[in-house]
Amino acid sequence: MQQTRVAVVGSANMDLVGTAPALPRPGETLLGSDFVMLPGGKGANQAIAAVRAGASCVFLGAIGSDAFGVTLKARITAAGVDTGQLRVVYGASGVALVMVGAGGENAILVTPGANGAFVGLTEGELHAVREADVLVAQLEVPVETVTEAAVAARAAGTRVILNAAPARQVPADLLAAVDLLVVNETEAQALTGRGRDEPAALLDLVPRAVLTLGAQGAWYVDRDGRSVHVPPVKVDAVDSTAAGDAFTAALAVAWGEGRELVDAVHWAAAAGAACVRRLGASVALPRRLEIDELYSPPA
């Protein structure tokens, strides 16, 4: 089996993660229990997750010139991701303030920092996109950068997966270059005005889509008429912070390896389930063996 080549265009943040018995309400101060500082951001998470799932991966994004940026690049590189194209811009790196409750629920505030300066792809960055089997992108960096990468990928025959997160409207020229859209309920609502009961509404925008529903599994739909519910993989959840990133990356890896897409979604569901069993974002991303242990093929 040929190793999938994945290019990820997205954000890199330093995650400051605190745990508590419950999430604080507005105006409330709670005493927490644990604190960790970890590399994160949807782009960096998905790049690391792709490598752990068995792909080779180049990460395209931006970090700041601060101490967080130094640590981010070192840790992303140590995870096996190609950071040769990772930009360093003057100023602060992106930071995510993550609060995690006892049941694994979370609340996250992200300050973009250097991620907001990631505009105008270089020829080296475009070459990395064109050489990949699959491009994975999210919306934590400027949408014009994501669009530029997706259009270049489409022209080169590289498959394009867009994880349209955080929830926002997506320009038509970006959607036109997307082969597979991955969204949760909130993101689907932002795009279509409809939610979990109408995943087929996403097909007005793209030819294939996955609607993730957390503990209720996921739906895969496409314009060939398929609408398939993929059941959840039952595990004891500790922290759901990076589960969606593990899911999206595993989906890209499986699709790039030639798996049929419904099967790829099943494998991705196992990756998401494996991820929620540990605290943190990048440190919780599962390796291929862990995914395989939880994976059940389509019936």
Side-chain angles (χ1 to χ4, degrees), residues 56-271:
S56 65
C57 182
V58 58
F59 177 49
L60 309 178
I63 53 175
S65 57
D66 56 1
F68 282 167
V70 174
T71 303
L72 279 168
K73 183 171 184 178
R75 294 193 181 182
I76 296 168
T77 303
V81 177
D82 180 352
T83 57
Q85 297 292 334
L86 182 60
R87 298 186 195 179
V88 179
V89 300
Y90 181 77
S93 298
V95 173
L97 308 175
V98 184
M99 297 179 292
V100 182
E105 72 279 8
N106 63 68
I108 305 173
L109 171 66
V110 177
T111 57
N115 296 301
F118 182 45
V119 293
L121 294 177
T122 67
E123 186 53 43
E125 291 164 342
L126 289 170
H127 177 75
V129 167
R130 297 182 185 116
E131 289 297 303
D133 298 311
V134 184
L135 171 69
V136 179
Q138 327 80 33
L139 299 175
E140 288 185 340
V141 296
V143 70
E144 57 265 34
T145 305
V146 177
T147 302
E148 184 180 3
V151 169
R154 170 57 67 89
T158 299
R159 292 171 173 171
V160 178
I161 296 179
L162 176 64
N163 177 206
R168 59 184 293 182
Q169 287 295 307
V170 178
D173 49 349
L174 173 53
L175 289 171
V178 171
D179 293 295
L180 176 62
L181 181 69
V182 180
V183 288
N184 64 20
E185 293 177 82
T186 301
E187 294 146 8
Q189 178 75 23
L191 288 172
T192 68
R194 288 171 279 183
R196 66 186 302 159
D197 296 328
E198 298 181 77
L202 295 166
L203 299 179
D204 292 338
L205 307 174
V206 293
R208 306 167 194 84
V210 176
L211 174 62
T212 62
L213 300 172
Q216 281 70 52
W219 281 95
Y220 170 77
V221 293
D222 63 31
R223 288 177 181 169
D224 291 330
R226 288 189 295 179
S227 180
V228 180
H229 179 252
V230 176
V233 179
K234 300 296 185 182
V235 295
D236 293 327
V238 173
D239 180 7
S240 63
T241 301
D245 296 331
F247 180 100
T248 300
L251 181 59
V253 173
W255 197 22
E257 290 175 351
R259 295 193 193 216
E260 195 276 329
L261 264 172
V262 172
D263 184 36
V265 176
H266 277 259
W267 201 66

Side-chain angles (χ1 to χ4, degrees), residues 6 8-9 41-51 57 136-138 161 163 244-246 248-250 285:
V6 175
V8 174
V9 171
K42 294 191 74 63
N45 286 346
Q46 291 179 12
I48 293 170
V51 169
C57 182
V136 179
Q138 327 80 33
I161 296 179
N163 177 206
D245 296 331
T248 300
L285 297 167

